[in-house]
Amino acid sequence: MRMGRRQRGFTLIEIVVVVAIIAILAAIVVQQVVGRVDDAQLQRVRADLQTVSSALNLYKLDNFSYPSTQQGLAALVQKPSGQPEARNWKTGGYVERLPKDPWGREYQYQQPGQHGVFDVFSFGRDGQPGGEGADADLGNWE
């Protein structure tokens, strides 16, 4: 007696249904992830601002004043020239390297600041003063 073997596979309809389900799930996941990218970038800015602010405070402890606006944040990486003089500048600096904001731009620094003793800030996603949401300025004053 010969046993017939029936080969079984997926029909075109079954494959189309599975692909449609995967596409729907992918669309839902993408919507969730895209909304989180801006949040993650803003969190990164806040963390960078905290790091730079802490380094500036250590700089002040060693040198009795914050770097001037002209000396800038570079004073945290290499010994600045000019006034105020950094007499007790820590060999090796206060940070290994200066971070850039998530959009690839340098953080801004003003001393004295408009919001405090110093301001460290990013102009946000658009790179322009002002704005709303991810385009808003983010600074150590928040």
Side-chain angles (χ1 to χ4, degrees):
M1 183 159 120
R2 189 171 161 211
M3 301 267 298
R5 275 178 98 160
R6 221 172 129 191
Q7 289 190 341
R8 180 123 167 103
F10 294 107
T11 66
L12 181 60
I13 302 270
E14 291 171 325
I15 292 172
V16 169
V17 168
V18 168
V19 168
I21 291 170
I22 290 171
I24 290 169
L25 290 174
I28 291 169
V29 168
V30 166
Q31 285 178 339
Q32 295 296 319
V33 170
V34 169
R36 302 283 184 199
V37 170
D38 285 341
D39 292 342
Q41 289 173 328
L42 297 177
Q43 286 297 100
R44 180 175 154 205
V45 169
R46 288 183 185 101
D48 286 348
L49 293 174
Q50 182 63 44
T51 299
V52 172
S53 295
S54 294
L56 285 164
N57 287 326
L58 290 174
Y59 179 99
K60 182 183 182 209
L61 283 173
D62 288 347
N63 299 290
F64 309 106
S65 66
Y66 293 107
S68 67
T69 300
Q70 291 75 26
Q71 291 169 321
L73 294 175
L76 299 175
V77 179
Q78 61 188 19
K79 186 175 182 177
S81 58
Q83 296 298 318
E85 185 179 348
R87 293 182 190 165
N88 298 318
W89 192 81
K90 177 182 154 191
T91 304
Y94 296 87
V95 292
E96 186 176 319
R97 63 178 173 74
L98 290 173
K100 292 192 177 202
D101 71 14
W103 306 280
R105 291 185 287 277
E106 303 286 332
Y107 284 100
Q108 306 297 308
Y109 173 71
Q110 289 180 344
Q111 196 282 324
Q114 296 177 352
H115 303 280
V117 177
F118 64 83
D119 290 347
V120 179
F121 58 97
S122 168
F123 287 125
R125 181 178 56 195
D126 65 356
Q128 303 295 319
E132 294 180 13
D135 294 336
D137 300 348
L138 295 162
N140 64 316
W141 56 83
E142 292 181 15

